[in-house]
C-alpha cells in the first residue's frame, strides 16, 4: 500500500483532471461566468472532502470513475459555499486559497451566479452519471447531498453562524451550528463514497456515519484553532477573522488548550468508529489524522 501522501497526491492530481473536464469549458458562452467558475474551483484547496469520498469508496470496493463524480459533486457544493461565504453580505473576505476571492477578482453578481451554477452542476453530475447499479440507491445519494447542503444542513448552519455574531452561545448551540455548517458536508462525503460501492450492512454504514460525524466536527474545532493561531500566508485565507468579527468559536468558548483536547477526543472517537473494519479503512484513519493534525 503506498504511503498516505503518495495516495493523496495521486488522487488529487487525477481529481483535478476530472474537475477540468467536468466544469464548463472556458471558451463556452457565457465565457466570463465559466471562467469565474473555473477560477473558484480549480488549482486550490486541500480537497479533504473528495479524499474522504475516495477513501470511503475504496473501503466499499467502488469504481474510481464513480467516486470521482461523487467527489466532484461534493467539492462543487463546497466551492459554491466558499464563494458565497466570502461575499460582502456574509463574511466579506478578500482572500481565499491564496488568491483574491471570486467577487474581488470578478464582481459580486458574478460571484452569486458562480455559486448558483456550481450548486446546479453538482446535482446535474449526480443525476447524469451512473453512480450505483441500483437506481433507487442513486436517488437516495442525490437526496443525501441535497439534505446535507440545504437549510437542514450547511446553509442552515451558515444562517445560524451569521446570526451568532456578537452573541454568547452555549457549547451545545455552538456544536449544533458547526455540525450543520461544516460537519454535514463532510459526513455526506464519507457516506456518498461508500454508497458508490457494494452495499455495506447497517452496522458498517452506521460506523461510517459516526466516523463522518466525528471528523466533521473535529475539522471545525481545528479550523477554529488555526484561525486563532496560524498566519494568513499559511492558511491562504485571512487569519484571525473569528475574533475580529466577534464570532463564537471553540477557542473563544473553551480556550485554545481545551479546544485542542476536544479535537484529540473527536480524533480518538473517529478512529474508534472504524474499529470493526480492517486494512480497508486505513485511508479513512489517515484522513482523520490529517484533519486533526493539519497546520493549514
Ligand atoms: C454560503 C451556504 C453557505 C455556506 C457557507 C462552508 C461555509 C458555509 C463557510 C466557509 C467559512 C468557513 C471558514 C467555515 C469553516 C470551515 C471550512 C468549511 C473551512 C474551509 O474548508 P477547507 O479548509 O477549505 O476544506 P479548502 O480551501 O481547503 O477547500
Amino acid at each position: 500500500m503506498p504511503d498516505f501522501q503518495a495516495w493523496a497526491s495521486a488522487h488529487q492530481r487525477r481529481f483535478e483532471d476530472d474537475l477540468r473536464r467536468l466544469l464548463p469549458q472556458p471558451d463556452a458562452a457565457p465565457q466570463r461566468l465559466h471562467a469565474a467558475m473555473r477560477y473558484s474551483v480549480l488549482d486550490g484547496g486541500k480537497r479533504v472532502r473528495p479524499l474522504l469520498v475516495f477513501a470511503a469508496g475504496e473501503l466499499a470496493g467502488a469504481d474510481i470513475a464513480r467516486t470521482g463524480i461523487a467527489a466532484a459533486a461534493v467539492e462543487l457544493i463546497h466551492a459554491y459555499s466558499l464563494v458565497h461565504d466570502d461575499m460582502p453580505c456574509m463574511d466579506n473576505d478578500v482572500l481565499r486559497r491564496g488568491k483574491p476571492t471570486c467577487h474581488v477578482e470578478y464582481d459580486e453578481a458574478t460571484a452569486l451566479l458562480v455559486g448558483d451554477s456550481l450548486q446546479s452542476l453538482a446535482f446535474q453530475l449526480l443525476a447524469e452519471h451512473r453512480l450505483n447499479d441500483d437506481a433507487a440507491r442513486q436517488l437516495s445519494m442525490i437526496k443525501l447531498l441535497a439534505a446535507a447542503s440545504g437549510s437542514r444542513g450547511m446553509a442552515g448552519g451558515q444562517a445560524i453562524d451569521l446570526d451568532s455574531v456578537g452573541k454568547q452561545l452555549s457549547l451545545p448551540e455552538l456544536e449544533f451550528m458547526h455540525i450543520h455548517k461544516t460537519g454535514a458536508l463532510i459526513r455526506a462525503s464519507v457516506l456518498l463514497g461508500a454508497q458508490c460501492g457494494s452495499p455495506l450492512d447497517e452496522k458498517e454504514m452506521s460506523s461510517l456515519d459516526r466516523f463522518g460525524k466525528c471528523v466533521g466536527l473535529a475539522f471545525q474545532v481545528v479550523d477554529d484553532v488555526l484561525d486563532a493561531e496560524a498566519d494568513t500566508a499559511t492558511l491562504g485565507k485571512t487569519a484571525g477573522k473569528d475574533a475580529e468579527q466577534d464570532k463564537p468559536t471553540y477557542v473563544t468558548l473553551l480556550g485554545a488548550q481545551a479546544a485542542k483536547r476536544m479535537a484529540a477526543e473527536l480524533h480518538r472517537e473517529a478512529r474508534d468508529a472504524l474499529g470493526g473494519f480492517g486494512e480497508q479503512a486505513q485511508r479513512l484513519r489517515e484522513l482523520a489524522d490529517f484533519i486533526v493534525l493539519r497546520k493549514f
Side-chain angles (χ1 to χ4, degrees):
M1 191 184 254
D3 72 21
F4 174 68
Q5 199 45 60
W7 175 85
S9 303
H11 277 81
Q12 282 159 338
R13 273 196 303 276
R14 188 194 152 100
F15 183 59
E16 203 65 31
D17 291 343
D18 286 348
L19 287 174
R20 280 183 197 287
R21 187 171 40 81
L22 295 168
L23 279 160
Q25 296 308 303
D27 52 357
Q31 284 94 343
R32 185 175 159 81
L33 176 60
H34 291 159
M37 288 167 74
R38 296 175 73 87
Y39 175 85
S40 304
V41 175
L42 297 173
D43 301 319
K46 297 179 284 296
R47 311 297 196 204
V48 165
R49 295 156 194 79
L51 289 174
L52 285 166
V53 175
F54 289 123
E58 284 182 19
L59 179 146
D63 182 335
I64 192 162
R66 292 185 174 188
T67 45
I69 296 295
V74 168
E75 186 66 13
L76 294 179
I77 295 284
H78 171 58
Y80 121 67
S81 82
L82 299 180
V83 170
H84 280 187
D85 180 68
D86 288 332
M87 290 181 69
C89 59
M90 294 210 195
D91 214 28
N92 193 18
D93 215 327
V94 296
L95 187 70
R96 172 68 66 183
R97 295 176 165 176
K99 55 189 193 182
T101 46
C102 184
H103 69 276
V104 169
E105 183 71 12
Y106 291 87
D107 53 73
E108 277 184 47
T110 302
L112 196 62
L113 291 172
V114 163
D116 295 341
S117 306
L118 292 177
Q119 174 159 217
S120 301
L121 181 57
F123 289 105
Q124 188 182 334
L125 292 179
L126 292 187
E128 206 165 61
H129 296 259
R130 172 62 70 195
L131 302 177
N132 195 287
D133 295 335
D134 178 349
R137 272 190 84 201
Q138 175 150 352
L139 203 55
S140 76
M141 292 166 74
I142 300 176
K143 188 172 155 195
L144 176 76
L145 187 63
S149 32
S151 66
R152 310 287 287 271
M154 181 183 75
Q158 177 78 346
I160 303 172
D161 181 285
L162 293 171
D163 202 40
S164 74
V165 173
K167 288 192 185 146
Q168 182 75 27
L169 295 188
S170 67
L171 193 55
E173 285 170 334
L174 187 70
E175 189 171 298
F176 183 86
M177 172 171 93
H178 286 317
I179 280 178
H180 289 80
K181 185 179 98 161
T182 315
L185 197 57
I186 290 183
R187 196 171 175 180
S189 305
V190 176
L191 297 178
L192 282 174
Q195 288 175 357
C196 288
S198 321
L200 300 177
D201 66 31
E202 215 174 294
K203 188 162 169 273
E204 289 171 322
M205 278 313 275
S206 124
S207 300
L208 281 185
D209 191 35
R210 192 153 71 84
F211 170 82
K213 189 175 175 193
C214 291
V215 288
L217 190 55
F219 186 95
Q220 182 61 55
V221 180
V222 172
D223 199 75
D224 286 354
V225 171
L226 290 173
D227 183 77
E229 295 190 346
D231 57 59
T232 297
T234 310
L235 295 180
K237 60 180 181 179
T238 314
K241 291 252 346 199
D242 295 335
E244 186 197 299
Q245 294 184 332
D246 197 15
K247 275 196 176 174
T249 72
Y250 286 98
V251 174
T252 57
L253 210 67
L254 301 173
Q257 286 318 312
K260 286 177 194 173
R261 278 198 299 278
M262 183 174 173
E265 175 59 23
L266 287 164
H267 185 198
R268 196 186 54 72
E269 252 186 77
R271 277 182 148 266
D272 283 356
L274 300 177
F277 297 105
E279 177 85 342
Q280 78 271 35
Q282 188 53 23
R283 295 309 183 201
L284 286 176
R285 293 187 189 97
E286 290 166 337
L287 277 164
D289 300 346
F290 171 75
I291 284 169
V292 175
L293 304 174
R294 71 199 159 98
K295 299 283 173 246
F296 59 97

